[in-house]
Amino acid sequence: MASSSDPTLERLANSVLQPGFEGTTAPDWLRRKIAEGLGSVVLFARNIETPEQVAALTASLRAENPDLIVGIDEEAGDVTRLEAWTGSSRPGNLALGAVDDIDLTERVAHDIGRDLHAAGVSLNFAPSADVNSNPLNPVIGVRSFGARTDLVSRHTAAWIRGLQEAGVAACAKHFPGHGDTVVDSHYGLPQVTGSAEEIALTALPPFIAAMEAGVRAVMTAHLVAPAYDPDLPATLSHRILVELLRGELDFDGLLVTDGIEMGAVTDRYGIDGATVKAVAGGVDAVCVGGESAEEATVDLLTTALVKAVLDGTLPEERLVEASRRVTEFARWSGERSRAVARALERSDIGLVAARRAVLVRHRPGTTPVTLPLTGAPHVVELSPTMNLAVDGHTPWGVADPLRDLRPGTTSVRLTEPELTHTTDVLTEAALTPATGRDLVVVVRDAARHRWMTDTLTRLLRSRPDALVVEMGVPAGDALGAAHLITHGATRVSGIAAAELLAGAGA
């Protein structure tokens, strides 16, 4: 029996971890862990300043291991890491699904892949293959291509083809489908209540399409699907990961966890217990470090995995199998990345796609408003608290790009606490500055936020001529004198909406 300090076991344990870290240069502890067998690292917005800096960072990490897996969560759209400080230059999945042009989707994904490849990234935790069948979903929403299984399936496949042609491996998520949920897995444990037959018809086809498109990695979901396993979340479930995904669906690629420190699994099992159960259940790589990004966390998880092998909780052959899959994936992704020539030129495909995704609707029975606006408007942006998948610092909205196009535009951004605790805020900040001017009200997933729909109703009662821009998942009838739907809150989505309002752009 191996000892508790067995270097072979420790190396195996290191190889299945995918940690994040702090800083824009590689810390000494991370270099040391790579030398000790760490097979992957994950980049977050905190690690990114410029494309050149990221490329230098990844090159320094690969000095220890040329096939090191460098992962990132670059969905584009609302979930961006490379462009977290400026806003994404490409629209997200819902906008692409709204256009429903698979060639456009493939081109956008290829454009993302070029940037990632140039930055030294080899694995992208995207696309979301979730069918957003529940419009009140708090964590998927605009990250999904839409609410129809066939649409999500074909765009998932196109996105994967485009990304991987640029030399970056894709990862379809979140298996077996996070679309029909009402709980954010960062904080609680969602449940999918459909039968196995319903899930097979609605949620699984996009993952099958992903495999047919050549995807080599799948990310698990932190949710319970009682139709398959009434007890364990999918990330920890042998029935879902091995019997369903590997057995029935015949997937033999890399299986990665969603962030293992998320409340859905750590609240029940602790971060170390969840890690052990995930690997025992069939996962190959454990993603960690979105919030717990220090050496102590890696040490804790390595120790937990080694201890679990020694006490029989985790069969050693299962850890060996997981490590083998990580190594095989690292070799494949490394060779693929090196085989693709670097292409640093940028294209405008993101803005082209964002423009095509904007939909203008009018209330039935009313005279359609004439666009563009004739003067500089006042813009009121109602800002919700975003889930942890979306970087809270990423710019969004219509006011800034509209100000560039229409000098003199004024704006205010309001949050729920401000509206709850300040009785005259709507008059002072929204209505009074708009006197004699066009009023543009910008919302983001209004249907999911009662305070936002109530505020919008009050504004439209006072100003029925206001124009409404929805930058989240659209729901319900057209609102205001005109209702613009961008299908996402990316930087280019805001530009595209501003161009329509101001009469600029192509």
Side-chain angles (χ1 to χ4, degrees):
M1 177 66 71
S3 71
S4 58
S5 60
D6 187 305
T8 300
L9 276 184
E10 289 181 358
R11 195 169 188 87
L12 286 171
N14 280 334
S15 71
V16 303
L17 299 180
Q18 295 188 329
F21 58 95
E22 299 282 351
T24 55
T25 57
D28 290 341
W29 70 264
L30 187 62
R31 294 174 181 272
R32 187 172 65 254
K33 291 294 183 184
I34 295 170
E36 294 171 357
L38 188 71
S40 316
V41 298
V42 180
L43 303 181
F44 292 87
R46 60 177 178 248
N47 306 122
I48 294 167
E49 289 179 341
T50 66
E52 295 78 15
Q53 167 265 322
V54 182
L57 169 61
T58 57
S60 71
L61 291 169
R62 289 210 173 93
E64 298 291 345
N65 175 8
D67 285 337
L68 179 75
I69 301 168
V70 179
I72 199 168
D73 207 357
E74 185 59 42
E75 300 175 18
D78 290 20
V79 178
T80 178
R81 304 295 180 246
L82 278 185
E83 300 182 295
W85 309 114
T86 60
S88 179
S89 58
R90 270 90 38 157
N93 286 357
L94 187 64
L96 296 173
V99 176
D100 197 12
D101 178 342
I102 60 173
D103 179 64
L104 180 68
T105 294
E106 191 167 331
R107 290 169 61 198
V108 168
H110 189 271
D111 201 50
I112 295 166
R114 288 192 306 180
D115 280 0
L116 293 178
H117 182 270
V121 172
S122 56
L123 171 61
N124 188 11
F125 299 123
S128 166
D130 305 296
V131 180
N132 198 55
S133 50
N134 189 329
L136 299 182
N137 193 315
V139 71
I140 302 301
V142 297
R143 302 165 67 192
S144 167
F145 289 108
R148 297 199 335 263
T149 298
D150 61 329
L151 180 141
V152 174
S153 296
R154 61 178 173 267
H155 286 278
T156 293
W159 210 97
I160 289 166
R161 288 194 300 269
L163 184 81
Q164 295 193 160
E165 285 170 4
V168 178
C171 177
K173 62 185 182 186
H174 308 77
F175 189 83
H178 212 313
D180 190 16
T181 58
V182 293
V183 173
D184 185 343
S185 49
H186 291 91
Y187 306 107
L189 182 61
Q191 179 169 302
V192 176
T193 58
S195 66
E197 292 77 15
E198 290 169 336
I199 294 172
L201 286 174
T202 59
L204 297 187
F207 292 96
I208 296 171
M211 287 179 252
E212 291 173 347
V215 77
R216 295 291 291 265
V218 169
M219 178 177 281
T220 66
H222 298 331
L223 55 80
V224 173
Y228 296 114
D229 190 332
D231 301 316
L232 290 174
T235 296
L236 319 179
S237 172
H238 184 275
R239 295 183 190 176
I240 292 175
L241 302 183
V242 177
E243 295 177 20
L244 175 60
L245 181 57
R246 295 215 185 276
E248 293 183 31
L249 301 185
D250 198 29
F251 178 67
D252 193 39
L254 185 72
L255 201 46
V256 184
T257 71
D258 203 347
I260 202 66
E261 66 263 56
M262 291 166 62
V265 290
T266 57
D267 287 351
R268 292 189 174 197
Y269 308 103
I271 191 170
D272 50 347
T275 295
V276 170
K277 286 183 174 294
V279 177
V283 154
D284 304 310
V286 178
C287 183
V288 65
E291 300 162 73
S292 306
E294 58 283 316
E295 181 181 9
T297 298
V298 178
D299 288 340
L300 173 66
L301 301 189
T302 299
T303 299
L305 289 167
V306 171
K307 181 177 181 297
V309 171
L310 295 175
D311 66 19
T313 305
L314 173 61
E316 185 170 352
E317 57 269 23
R318 169 77 271 272
L319 183 59
V320 170
E321 178 190 38
S323 180
R324 173 185 60 78
R325 280 208 175 93
V326 171
T327 301
E328 290 175 350
F329 180 89
R331 186 179 301 116
W332 173 84
S333 64
E335 290 174 354
R336 188 174 187 86
S337 179
R338 288 188 288 272
V340 176
R342 291 182 181 270
L344 300 180
E345 71 277 6
R346 297 295 303 276
S347 77
D348 63 352
I349 189 64
L351 184 54
V352 170
R355 287 169 176 157
R356 291 182 62 185
V358 179
L359 173 66
V360 181
R361 299 165 60 191
H362 299 278
R363 282 179 297 174
T366 63
T367 302
V369 68
T370 301
L371 292 175
L373 303 175
T374 57
H378 180 62
V379 181
V380 178
E381 296 176 332
L382 303 181
S383 180
T385 300
M386 300 307 299
N387 65 70
L388 289 179
V390 180
D391 193 294
H393 301 288
T394 303
W396 70 278
V398 174
D400 285 344
L402 190 53
R403 192 175 290 111
D404 291 338
L405 296 172
R406 282 293 175 87
T409 294
T410 57
S411 67
V412 64
R413 180 166 288 187
L414 302 175
T415 63
E416 182 180 11
E418 291 171 310
L419 290 164
T420 302
H421 298 115
T422 308
T423 57
D424 294 326
V425 68
L426 282 184
T427 299
E428 296 173 358
L431 294 173
T432 299
T435 301
R437 308 169 67 185
D438 288 309
L439 175 63
V440 178
V441 184
V442 183
V443 295
R444 192 172 181 180
D445 290 323
R448 289 203 303 106
H449 303 283
R450 178 63 181 272
W451 70 270
M452 195 178 293
T453 55
D454 288 347
T455 302
L456 183 57
T457 299
R458 291 166 60 194
L459 284 170
L460 292 177
R461 190 179 298 127
S462 298
R463 286 290 303 267
D465 63 324
L467 290 82
V468 177
V469 181
E470 169 62 83
M471 301 195 77
V473 177
D477 297 329
L479 301 169
H483 191 177
L484 278 65
I485 299 168
T486 64
H487 300 96
T490 67
R491 175 168 58 87
V492 286
S493 298
I495 293 171
E499 287 176 344
L500 274 175
L501 293 169

